[in-house]
Amino acid sequence: MAKSSKTIDPRFDPAFQRGYSEVGPEDKPDLSPQAHYLGAGGAPTEISPPKRTKSLARNPWIYVLWALGVAAVYAGLAAQLWASSQLYGTGNVPFENYAFISTVQVVSPSVSNLGALCLAAALTIHTVSWMRKNQ
């Protein structure tokens, strides 16, 4: 099989090393260098592909959390500023608009909190994924 055992590295397939000579077709193993290698005893051994880690970039719900979080924080802040300027800025609020404006003023902090929770959830998911990859 090999001319000299000193020139053949036993960790790799001898067919792809210098100093290898074929004896005959019946002795040649049916191997491709990408799928097999010769193990410690010289027997062909399968190479298992590495496990693929799932990327967060392929998960569309992460983008939804980021977008919803940013939009909700800004919408809640804008609604709070608008309602405060309507109620306390002019001083003359018609009675039919007062209920709507006060409802916006009461609901807007909850919208901002929802946005902050979405941003915190997205950051938590990114952190857990990073920790799994770097263990």
Side-chain angles (χ1 to χ4, degrees):
M1 201 160 132
K3 291 181 183 176
S4 170
S5 63
K6 293 180 182 177
T7 60
I8 302 296
D9 190 350
R11 296 176 298 165
F12 305 106
D13 190 356
F16 301 99
Q17 298 182 38
R18 289 185 186 165
Y20 174 76
S21 63
E22 290 186 37
V23 176
E26 63 275 351
D27 293 337
K28 185 169 81 172
D30 185 23
L31 299 174
S32 66
Q34 295 84 16
H36 298 83
Y37 73 98
L38 294 179
T45 308
E46 286 282 332
I47 295 176
S48 61
K51 292 183 179 178
R52 293 183 56 169
T53 58
K54 295 184 179 181
S55 172
L56 285 176
R58 295 181 183 172
N59 188 353
W61 296 107
I62 295 295
Y63 298 122
V64 170
L65 277 176
W66 281 108
L68 180 65
V70 170
V73 166
Y74 284 126
L77 289 175
Q80 184 70 28
L81 290 173
W82 176 81
S84 295
S85 69
Q86 292 294 317
L87 287 176
Y88 305 117
T90 59
N92 293 336
V93 177
F95 183 72
E96 51 278 345
N97 293 340
Y98 182 78
F100 175 72
I101 294 171
S102 62
T103 302
V104 168
Q105 190 177 25
V106 168
V107 172
S108 62
S110 298
V111 174
S112 293
N113 288 340
L114 174 68
L117 284 174
C118 288
L119 292 176
L123 284 174
T124 302
I125 291 171
H126 279 293
T127 303
V128 169
S129 174
W130 179 82
M131 289 174 60
R132 284 183 188 165
K133 289 180 185 176
N134 294 318
Q135 281 185 346

